[in-house]
Amino acid sequence: MTTEEKNVSGWQPVLRVMACGREWILERAADMESLWEAMTEFTEDERLPYWTELWPSSLVLADWLHEQRARLQGSFCLDLGCGIGLTALVGQWLGANVIGMDYEPEALRYARLNAEHNGIPQPFWVVMDWRKPAVRRHSLRFIWGGDIMYEQRFAAPVLDFLDYALADDGVAWIAEPSRSVYDVFRTALVNRRWSGKCVWEKSIPALYPQERPVPVRIWEIRK
């Protein structure tokens, strides 16, 4: 793929974005409208096709991982809700041993393709529900996620997952676009006597036209 493709609705099935000082080619579902129309019912989990979007938080998180590249070398890491794979690929490119997990198998199909498009050794891609961890307890040095905290109901299961999977000296990085819902997660951290602090802030233009850049914060979380 040498040119960016675009269908008649304006949806771009192939994105070319800059992060970590290089270009990344990211393929995703060709027709977003069809994904939405295929949803005939809404359950408790909803399973909305948010995975096919590339969010500003992921781009900022990718640059943050690049800043932390010396720490990531050789470490066992997990991308929590990797979607089409950008930040999992960045971690793998930087020398980490990355598990890229997502709830949706279709997301991982594109993530695998994107590793090929960008010449990155394949991370270990796994379909996983964060409520049912399929990793060893306290085995991960770093866990990260981009814009995963967009509903209040996610706060408890995400923190439960971190409590289960993060090594005793491990660190989690959550990138979020200054959503008020993140305050619920911060309260849960305090209640469980975890520490969480903002370690980086960056405003980034959205992929789609809007009035202001998106302010993204990186939170570092420890036991």
Side-chain angles (χ1 to χ4, degrees), residues 128-173:
M128 194 189 310
D129 184 334
W130 52 35
R131 297 167 297 189
K132 301 175 182 178
V135 295
R136 286 190 297 111
R137 185 184 295 272
H138 300 166
S139 61
L140 299 167
R141 181 70 181 86
F142 297 99
I143 296 175
W144 59 74
D147 207 355
I148 60 173
M149 203 63 57
Y150 52 86
E151 291 192 35
Q152 292 186 13
R153 64 192 175 98
F154 295 162
V158 167
L159 191 50
D160 287 343
F161 182 90
L162 297 181
D163 194 25
Y164 174 89
L166 200 60
D168 290 338
D169 61 346
V171 172
W173 292 312

Side-chain angles (χ1 to χ4, degrees), residues 75-143:
S75 297
F76 289 95
C77 308
L78 182 140
D79 188 326
L80 188 61
C82 65
I84 58 176
L86 175 62
T87 49
L89 297 181
V90 168
Q92 193 79 0
W93 175 61
L94 294 172
N97 300 302
V98 179
I99 298 170
M101 67 158 279
D102 203 278
Y103 191 63
E104 295 292 345
E106 188 73 352
L108 300 183
R109 185 173 76 84
Y110 284 101
R112 189 174 292 108
L113 286 173
N114 289 331
E116 296 175 3
H117 294 330
N118 292 281
I120 306 297
Q122 293 285 351
F124 181 75
W125 305 110
V126 60
V127 177
M128 194 189 310
D129 184 334
W130 52 35
R131 297 167 297 189
K132 301 175 182 178
V135 295
R136 286 190 297 111
R137 185 184 295 272
H138 300 166
S139 61
L140 299 167
R141 181 70 181 86
F142 297 99
I143 296 175

Side-chain angles (χ1 to χ4, degrees), residues 184-200:
V184 175
F185 186 70
R186 292 178 66 189
T187 299
L189 287 175
V190 172
N191 290 341
R192 298 201 196 187
R193 298 184 179 180
W194 283 53
S195 66
K197 64 178 180 179
C198 180
V199 292
W200 210 36

